Amino acid sequence: MAKDKKTFQDRLAEEIDEAISNMSDEEIRKEAEEAGDDIAAFGNRMRAWLETAKDEVAEIAIKEAKASAEKGRAVRNQNVVTMAPSKPRTRPDIFMPDTVAARHGKKLSARDRKGIEKDLEDLFDDDAWPDKKDGDE
């Protein structure tokens, strides 16, 4: 068995913790009353202490949040990079987009007409399509 490296105080504290943890509420109350402790007064002191602790924790959290926000602002202000405004690029007046959709319904160009006619010829050219269809073998 390995040598126990806990001190006497550590072992005593563990034994006391275990004894208290295993006791029922009634047993603890009875033992406190036998020792002459005022349970109600102790409970009131603990409630008051908890309220004070809650307020202190809230104040600390607010201070930390404010400090974090200030640090964020300082870092953000240092990291700002200004960019030179760019001039908008002008398109030549003679520019005409290649697709009908891009022209928003403007007239068809000769190039568009030729392209559409070629597509229609290919679509209705029976020699361009294979004789077998998907379901036929």
Side-chain angles (χ1 to χ4, degrees):
M1 187 177 251
K3 184 177 177 184
D4 189 6
K5 295 188 178 190
K6 294 181 183 176
T7 64
F8 171 74
Q9 289 85 1
D10 291 339
R11 288 194 304 271
L12 180 62
E14 283 181 4
E15 289 293 325
I16 291 171
D17 287 344
E18 190 174 316
I20 292 172
S21 297
N22 292 333
M23 292 175 68
S24 69
D25 291 346
E26 280 303 314
E27 290 173 326
I28 294 172
R29 189 174 288 122
K30 183 180 176 186
E31 194 172 301
E33 287 173 356
E34 288 174 0
D37 293 334
D38 185 7
I39 297 171
F42 177 76
N44 291 336
R45 282 194 315 271
M46 288 306 295
R47 283 186 199 90
W49 177 79
L50 282 174
E51 287 299 319
T52 305
K54 285 181 188 177
D55 293 342
E56 289 175 6
V57 168
E59 287 177 17
I60 291 170
I62 289 172
K63 286 179 184 177
E64 289 176 354
K66 285 181 180 179
S68 176
E70 284 298 321
K71 183 180 178 183
R73 280 191 210 104
V75 169
R76 195 170 42 244
N77 289 339
Q78 292 174 358
N79 290 337
V80 173
V81 177
T82 57
M83 296 177 65
S86 62
K87 295 180 182 177
R89 296 181 183 155
T90 58
R91 297 170 91 174
D93 293 334
I94 58 170
F95 175 76
M96 179 69 91
D98 290 339
T99 63
V100 176
R103 289 195 304 272
H104 303 290
K106 295 179 182 170
K107 289 185 191 180
L108 289 176
S109 66
R111 179 178 167 199
D112 289 332
R113 284 196 190 98
K114 286 179 186 177
I116 291 171
E117 289 172 5
K118 173 83 171 91
D119 289 342
L120 290 173
E121 286 174 13
D122 291 343
L123 183 63
F124 291 106
D125 184 10
D126 292 333
D127 295 331
W129 298 93
D131 292 334
K132 295 182 182 176
K133 294 185 180 159
D134 289 339
D136 297 339
E137 294 248 2

